[in-house]
Amino acid sequence: MALVDVSRLPHHVAVIMDGNGRWARAQGRIRTDGHAEGSHAVRRVVRAARRLGVRALTLYAFSEQNWNRPRVEVDTLMELLRDYLLRERAELLEHGIRLRAIGRRDKLPARVREVLDPLERDTAALDGMVLSLALSYGGREEIVDSVRALAAQVAAGRLAPDAIDEPTLASEMPSLSVGPVDLLIRTGGEQRISNFLLWGSAYAELYFTDTLWPAFDAPDLYGAVAAFQQRDRRFGRVPSDVGGYAGPLAPHGLPQAGE
Ligand code: FPP
C-alpha cells in the first residue's frame, strides 16, 4: 500500500467520480446498479479521507449537464442521493463531518432538499472535515453566478468595478470557501476536467486512474495522496522560491513562505 506522509496532506481533495456505467456493464448489470455501487464507494472514500486527516473533500455527484441524462437515470441518482443523506447522517455527526452542497440547489427535487437542508444545518458547526457534494454543479455556471452577484453589488453602488480582483470574485464562489483544490482525482480512465471546479483547480495537481469509481477504495485514495506528495508544486514560480498558495485562501497543509 502507498505510504502517505500525514504531515503533508493535501488540504482540499476533489474527485470526479467516473465509471459507474462501465462498471455496471462489465458486471452484466444496468447502469443504475453502477450508481448504487458508486454510492457505497462514496461512503468508503469519505470515511478514508476523514481518517487520513484531509480537511476538505469535494465530490462531483451530479453535474449541471447530467440533467440531460435519461429521466430514469436522473431519478435514480436523486433517490440514491436522498438515501445516502439519510443513511450517512449518524456517521457524519459521529465523525465531525460537515456536509454541504454546492451548485444550483434550487433545481434539485424537493425530496432531496428536504433531507439535504436539515443535514447541512445540523452539521454546520462540525469541523473534522468539510464534505462538499457538487449537485447540479458546473464550474462555468459557478463563475457566471459569482459574476452576477458582483454585478448586482456594482449596480447597487456598493462595489466599484476597479475594486474587483481575484479574491473578490473567488469570495462569491461557494466551492472556494474551503480553499483551492490541491489534489483533483478523476477515476474511470478519462483525462479531462468536465466543467468541475474550474477556478479552484487552477493549480491543482491532477491524478487520473483507470479504476472505475465503484471499485475505488481507501488504498486508491492513499495512492493518489502519495502521488500528490511526489509532485513539485511551483505555482508558477521557480523551485527555490515556492511558499505555497499566496492568496487569502491559502490552505493550511501547504508549506508557507519561509518554511
Ligand atoms: C459518472 O459515471 C458518475 C455520475 C454521473 C454520478 C456520480 C454518482 C454517484 C457516485 C452515486 C451517487 C452519489 C452520492 C453522493 C450518493 P458514469 O455514469 O458517467 O459512468 P460511465 O462513464 O462509465 O458511463
Side-chain angles (χ1 to χ4, degrees):
M1 194 183 298
L3 281 182
V4 170
D5 176 353
V6 290
S7 70
R8 292 188 305 116
L9 291 173
H11 170 90
H12 183 181
V13 176
V15 188
I16 300 174
M17 308 181 287
D18 196 17
N20 292 349
R22 278 165 287 158
W23 182 90
R25 197 170 55 235
Q27 312 280 321
R29 293 161 67 181
I30 56 172
R31 288 183 59 77
T32 45
D33 286 353
H35 295 314
E37 203 59 38
S39 78
H40 298 307
V42 168
R43 149 182 265 250
R44 294 194 299 268
V45 169
V46 167
R47 198 179 268 187
R50 173 70 181 101
R51 222 182 274 142
L52 196 57
V54 167
R55 305 289 297 154
L57 177 68
T58 303
L59 302 178
Y60 207 2
F62 194 86
S63 76
E64 187 68 5
Q65 290 66 35
N66 286 155
W67 291 114
N68 298 320
R69 291 194 174 201
R71 175 75 194 268
V72 64
E73 185 165 339
V74 169
D75 289 350
T76 302
L77 280 165
M78 291 300 141
E79 279 309 299
L80 283 170
L81 180 60
R82 183 185 150 92
D83 289 351
Y84 173 84
L85 296 170
L86 289 169
R87 194 176 64 228
E88 297 305 304
R89 182 186 178 83
E91 165 119 355
L92 297 175
L93 290 167
E94 185 189 341
H95 292 103
I97 301 172
R98 175 181 170 202
L99 181 134
R100 65 176 193 141
I102 56 170
R104 293 183 168 164
R105 60 187 304 134
D106 48 312
K107 294 178 83 170
L108 298 172
R111 275 178 64 72
V112 170
R113 275 183 283 133
E114 74 191 15
V115 291
L116 178 62
D117 294 348
L119 192 52
E120 282 187 322
R121 215 172 34 242
D122 296 346
T123 61
L126 303 179
D127 62 359
M129 180 175 87
V130 181
L131 169 61
S132 306
L133 295 182
L135 299 172
S136 196
Y137 176 87
R140 288 180 175 174
E141 287 82 351
E142 186 179 35
I143 293 171
V144 168
D145 289 349
S146 64
V147 168
R148 271 198 202 131
L150 292 185
Q153 292 176 41
V154 170
R158 292 197 307 272
L159 180 68
D162 285 352
I164 297 174
D165 55 11
E166 286 183 22
T168 324
L169 194 54
S171 71
E172 294 293 337
M173 294 185 210
S175 70
L176 265 293
S177 66
V178 291
V181 179
D182 298 301
L183 170 62
L184 175 61
I185 300 170
R186 180 175 187 136
T187 64
E190 311 287 356
Q191 303 199 352
R192 52 176 173 260
I193 304 291
S194 298
N195 201 23
F196 197 26
L197 307 163
L198 295 182
W199 185 284
S201 294
Y203 285 96
E205 294 298 327
L206 308 181
Y207 181 86
F208 300 105
T209 171
D210 289 337
T211 303
L212 303 173
W213 176 251
F216 197 86
D217 207 339
D220 301 293
L221 177 71
Y222 305 150
V225 171
F228 166 87
Q229 293 180 334
Q230 299 299 317
R231 305 273 177 94
D232 178 19
R233 301 190 82 193
R234 292 203 289 275
F235 302 93
R237 291 176 250 172
V238 295
S240 59
D241 194 25
V242 178
Y245 183 77
L249 296 166
H252 82 260
L254 282 178
Q256 300 301 300
E259 283 182 11

